[in-house]
Amino acid sequence: MMTHQKPLIAVIAGEHSGDLLGAGMLRELRVRYPQAEFIGVGGPLMQAQGLTSLVPMEDLAVMGIAEVFGSLFKLLGHRRKLVNTFLQRRPDVFIGIDAPDFNLPIAKRLKAAGIPTVHYVSPSVWAWRQGRIHGIKQSVDHVLCLLPFEKEFYDQHQLAATFVGHPLADSIPMHWAKASAREQLGLDAEATWVGVLPGSRKGEIARMAPLFLAVAERLLQQNQQLKFVTPMISESRATQFRLLQQQLAPQLPLTIIDGHSRETMAACDALMLTSGTVTLEAMLIKRPMVVAYKFNWLSFHMIKRLFKAPFFSLPNLLAGEALVPEFAQNEATVDNLVTAMQAQLGPQAEQTVQRFTQLHAQIQRNADVLSADVVQSYITP
């Protein structure tokens, strides 16, 4: 319902995925509050909805310990500027979108000053470092959860939370035909296509591509009709992967696509994936998959001690069962992946696809509207 209030809404997104989430929520809030003012940090999508970005969003999109350390003074300066601005202007509500290491300390300062705080995208506190829940409760009045089991965790710890669903489930169609995706990408309409997705980061590709290429070669030996396709996020990553393929599997019938990762997955009969959000996209596109991940040695031993969840791939976490084959570290072998991929290329995978459809419906809840509902509840009439 449209009102003539002029709320001041502070919101911070730290990277592209957060900008996408924030843009949908701000679009819905603008319908309700045409005279609202949005300040904080966001990218082009949020700015198109009227956000005044006080610092460049790309300054916040820093990953890795070394990279964060190198940008520490700049990050701390941005945080100080934002906190001071928000405390001075007293927004009706503050929304931190993901980026918990940056956003939660800001939320803690604002909550202590009596400003309502909402956090959009639950930190993976249910999976590891569960002691963080105490700090989250000190910082946040309400958590917007993308996945249903996240709300259950917050309910157990008496922190207000709303399951808003996942925006990807709203934007990806319930049915995506292989034929149209193949036509769009210029791929052979009659071939059996296997998608090879070794990750989007340099380190992931270095660790996962040799394994996936070896699996692809073995699968090709067993079925000469197979063809392989890989989407790459950038030219530099495509060059890295192409060099590895030339060294390790030069005869493999492999097509590298510039971008278009979702269309590429839709064009495939089965997928071999590195764990991450891409596994959720694959589930929503309804393609059988095998998920694998290898950490560097130190990260693996640190995570092994702290990780509490029964699965690491999002389809299995959502389903609460081993719906798709997943292999981590020493279990991520050529033999294991070949056996699992053969099953995903077989007729029994159709049952998994039917389950994917059920899970899609479960998390398709119109996240933009539900997240705006929660924010609106914190704006004083």
Side-chain angles (χ1 to χ4, degrees):
M1 184 176 65
M2 184 186 301
T3 81
H4 294 291
Q5 286 180 253
K6 301 179 181 179
L8 176 65
I9 299 173
V11 55
I12 295 177
E15 58 183 355
H16 172 71
S17 60
D19 190 39
L20 186 62
L21 285 175
M25 179 180 61
L26 295 191
R27 187 182 309 113
E28 181 64 28
L29 287 168
R30 278 169 56 86
V31 171
R32 304 175 191 200
Y33 302 103
Q35 300 181 67
E37 181 182 358
F38 303 118
I39 61 170
V41 183
L45 299 178
M46 289 170 63
Q47 291 177 44
Q49 297 304 317
L51 176 81
T52 299
S53 193
L54 303 175
V55 302
M57 187 182 74
E58 54 267 25
D59 285 0
L60 274 56
V62 182
M63 298 189 65
I65 294 173
E67 291 82 358
V68 170
F69 185 77
S71 302
L72 186 59
F73 289 110
K74 180 187 290 186
L75 290 170
L76 291 175
H78 287 336
R79 181 188 289 171
R80 185 164 52 249
K81 174 182 178 179
L82 290 163
V83 168
N84 290 340
T85 300
F86 296 158
L87 289 176
Q88 180 182 2
R89 297 205 58 192
R90 305 285 304 180
D92 292 88
V93 62
F94 167 72
I95 309 144
I97 304 178
D98 210 358
D101 291 335
F102 189 83
N103 277 324
L104 290 179
I106 294 175
K108 186 175 182 179
R109 290 283 306 277
L110 300 182
K111 183 178 180 182
I115 297 171
T117 59
V118 175
H119 193 77
Y120 196 175
V121 184
S122 167
S124 301
V125 65
W126 42 267
W128 67 304
R129 291 172 58 201
Q130 293 189 356
R132 289 179 294 165
I133 184 63
H134 304 296
I136 294 172
K137 290 178 72 172
Q138 293 174 355
S139 306
V140 176
D141 291 303
H142 205 116
V143 181
L144 302 177
C145 303
L146 305 186
L147 307 172
F149 57 82
E150 295 174 329
K151 173 175 167 49
E152 296 167 8
F153 177 85
Y154 290 107
D155 287 346
Q156 293 170 8
H157 290 86
Q158 294 80 51
L159 176 56
T162 299
F163 166 46
V164 301
H166 204 296
L168 285 177
D170 299 327
S171 61
I172 293 176
M174 195 61 73
H175 176 72
W176 197 330
K178 291 177 190 173
S180 61
R182 291 178 181 185
E183 181 179 5
Q184 179 181 352
L185 298 174
L187 299 177
D188 184 347
E190 303 302 323
T192 299
W193 286 96
V194 174
V196 180
L197 290 89
S200 59
R201 301 186 183 103
K202 183 178 180 180
E204 287 177 335
I205 293 172
R207 289 192 299 272
M208 303 306 301
L211 171 65
F212 284 2
L213 289 168
V215 172
E217 282 199 311
R218 183 88 66 83
L219 290 171
L220 184 63
Q221 291 172 5
Q222 298 169 357
N223 182 354
Q224 292 294 314
Q225 305 307 310
L226 296 181
K227 292 185 178 181
F228 301 87
V229 60
T230 296
M232 280 288 143
I233 194 169
S234 66
E235 183 55 40
S236 58
R237 297 288 73 79
T239 299
Q240 178 191 5
F241 184 74
R242 191 176 292 109
L243 288 172
L244 286 168
Q245 188 226 337
Q246 291 170 353
Q247 295 167 9
L248 301 173
Q251 303 305 314
L252 193 70
L254 175 73
T255 300
I256 297 177
I257 303 285
D258 180 16
H260 300 287
S261 63
R262 293 182 192 172
E263 292 84 353
T264 302
M265 288 190 280
C268 290
D269 296 279
L271 306 167
M272 185 163 36
L273 306 169
T274 292
S275 183
T277 303
V278 68
T279 64
L280 181 66
E281 292 179 290
M283 184 200 84
L284 295 170
I285 295 169
K286 321 295 185 310
R287 297 300 181 263
M289 72 187 87
V290 174
V291 183
Y293 204 84
K294 285 180 176 286
F295 301 91
N296 66 47
W297 183 88
L298 180 60
S299 294
F300 173 70
H301 284 279
M302 291 176 63
I303 291 169
K304 185 178 179 181
R305 292 169 60 89
L306 298 169
F307 193 77
K308 303 297 182 183
F311 308 104
F312 65 85
S313 65
L314 282 167
N316 288 347
L317 286 166
L318 264 176
E321 60 177 302
L323 185 60
V324 303
E326 60 174 42
F327 303 98
Q329 213 64 8
N330 295 334
E331 293 183 352
T333 66
V334 174
D335 287 344
N336 283 345
L337 266 68
V338 167
T339 300
M341 282 299 298
Q342 288 171 331
Q344 299 308 299
L345 287 163
Q348 62 267 43
E350 183 57 35
Q351 292 181 343
T352 302
V353 171
Q354 292 175 5
R355 189 80 171 94
F356 287 169
T357 302
Q358 295 171 353
L359 293 171
H360 190 157
Q362 182 183 359
I363 62 172
Q364 187 181 59
R365 293 174 59 85
N366 202 342
D368 295 346
V369 169
L370 292 179
S371 60
D373 285 345
V374 172
V375 173
Q376 184 174 13
S377 73
Y378 285 94
I379 297 174
T380 304

